[in-house]
Amino acid sequence: MTIKKKYSGVVVPMVSPFTDSGEVDKSAVAKITEHLVAEQTSPFVLGTTGEAASIPLDQKVKLVSEMVRVTNKRELTYAGIDSTCFQTSVEMARQFADLGVDAVVAHLPEYYPLTPEHMLNYFEKLADASPVPLIVYNIPGTTGMSIPLDVLETLSKHSNIAGLKDSERDPERLEKCLSLWKENSEFSFLIGWAAQSTYALFNGADGIVPSTGNLVPGMYCDLYQAAIKGDQDQAEPLQQITNDISLVYQKDRILSQSLAALKACMHSLGLCENAVLPPLLALSLSETQNIEIALKELMNYREE
């Protein structure tokens, strides 16, 4: 990274904690938020990891409000505004801005197949309507579409589009993203491919967005600080440690299963309950116990 930008650092796509009745667990929101902010990482609520597609609007407002309150401007705050309805996304942007978030995040609406022209028009209109800066989110794994880089380059010139979070696992695309925006002081490139965090930071990325940051935010903060200082000897081992921890809940699981497994990991750390919202399914008791054992053994081993 060669230019220090406002939207940078470790941005954690925060788990959304629920009660058994399916409502946002306000006390757990406070606990998780403090867990992240105390380690100098920025909370990003209502992303993929936060089960945003399954949460009703009134509960989203409750979650954002509590996260912003606990953060108390110690770190930047981000909130997802994804919806298949454009006006709903705009209304969320306005409500969340009123609550105090610093930026909103949006991926493509995942229903209609979209051309590059559709994509460009959608994000330009959304940015025009948002009272706070917009971060564009590319995640083909859930939307089924990849935002072309030429579209993103055009969007990078919009006065209210502050950056890109890219979760597409494509090495060639990563190289092009780094080349396009590492010297652009007005547009941040945040990588959502956690296993490539160190590489991306060493080659010009502004920040990282790791779901495993919910478990070990301090490790990712240390990784980021080492990377921006050019200390590869410190950064690379931290990359390997965090990769190993990620495998505890991700290995041999599709996304809908790994999110429930991440909740089990969070539960083992005393941060929230196991509850997830439909269509996701909570892990069985035996699966939960196995995950807790694996996580404990790995984290104890790494601390020795």
Side-chain angles (χ1 to χ4, degrees):
M1 185 173 63
T2 57
I3 302 172
K4 176 65 175 178
K5 304 176 191 177
K6 179 176 180 178
Y7 300 100
S8 59
V10 183
V11 180
V12 178
M14 192 172 121
V15 161
S16 298
F18 307 113
T19 65
D20 288 338
S21 63
E23 296 192 351
V24 166
D25 185 338
K26 191 174 177 180
S27 64
V29 172
K31 187 180 294 186
I32 297 169
T33 302
E34 185 59 36
H35 170 64
L36 302 182
V37 174
E39 298 290 352
Q40 299 180 304
T41 66
S42 295
F44 161 35
V45 295
L46 300 176
T48 306
T49 304
E51 299 173 63
S54 303
I55 306 175
L57 182 56
D58 66 320
Q59 294 297 303
K60 289 182 177 182
V61 171
K62 180 179 177 181
L63 190 159
V64 172
S65 178
E66 185 65 6
M67 179 274 289
V68 170
R69 183 192 71 80
V70 174
T71 303
N72 194 27
K73 300 187 183 302
R74 289 176 290 167
E75 298 289 339
L76 292 178
T77 55
Y78 303 77
I81 56 168
D82 303 302
S83 173
T84 53
C85 172
F86 176 79
Q87 191 56 41
T88 298
S89 290
V90 171
E91 289 172 3
M92 282 192 283
R94 292 171 178 165
Q95 288 192 57
F96 299 164
D98 287 344
L99 291 171
V101 300
D102 295 290
V104 293
V105 185
H107 58 59
L108 290 168
E110 65 279 67
Y111 185 81
Y112 300 107
L114 302 175
T115 68
E117 181 183 9
H118 288 119
M119 297 177 189
L120 180 63
N121 181 68
Y122 176 79
F123 284 118
E124 287 179 335
K125 287 185 179 298
L126 190 57
D128 288 343
S130 176
V132 294
L134 171 68
I135 305 291
V136 176
Y137 181 8
N138 182 55
I139 181 165
T142 60
T143 65
M145 296 173 282
S146 174
I147 307 169
L149 294 183
D150 59 343
V151 170
L152 290 165
E153 176 63 4
T154 300
L155 291 172
S156 73
K157 297 174 174 60
H158 191 290
S159 61
N160 202 37
I161 295 180
L164 166 70
K165 179 203 170 185
D166 201 297
S167 295
E168 187 164 349
R169 300 187 176 195
D170 180 339
E172 182 178 352
R173 180 184 174 93
L174 173 57
E175 295 297 337
K176 290 179 180 177
C177 287
L178 294 168
S179 176
L180 279 169
W181 300 305
K182 65 182 177 182
E183 301 295 339
N184 185 337
S185 62
E186 303 300 321
F187 189 79
S188 297
F189 174 60
L190 310 173
I191 184 169
W193 185 4
Q196 294 297 320
S197 294
T198 296
Y199 177 83
L201 289 169
F202 267 95
N203 288 279
D206 301 294
I208 56 177
V209 192
S211 59
T212 305
N214 282 281
L215 303 173
V216 286
M219 285 189 188
Y220 281 103
C221 184
D222 290 345
L223 185 158
Y224 173 79
Q225 292 298 332
I228 64 174
K229 292 174 184 175
D231 187 345
Q232 194 157 0
D233 289 340
Q234 183 182 5
E236 289 293 350
L238 287 167
Q239 181 70 74
Q240 187 56 58
I241 292 169
T242 53
N243 288 352
D244 291 346
I245 294 171
S246 299
L247 290 176
V248 171
Y249 68 93
Q250 293 177 352
K251 187 177 180 182
D252 299 326
R253 293 184 174 92
I254 61 173
L255 177 61
S256 54
Q257 296 169 322
S258 68
L259 292 180
L262 176 56
K263 278 277 179 73
C265 292
M266 297 287 282
H267 177 68
S268 74
L269 297 180
L271 292 168
C272 66
E273 298 302 321
N274 284 346
V276 294
L277 297 184
L280 303 190
L281 294 170
L283 266 63
S284 67
L285 179 59
S286 62
E287 288 176 307
T288 299
Q289 289 172 337
N290 289 338
I291 273 200
E292 290 178 351
I293 290 168
L295 182 65
K296 184 176 180 180
E297 288 180 350
L298 180 59
M299 294 182 76
N300 285 345
Y301 170 76
R302 293 301 186 181
E303 289 171 359
E304 291 174 358

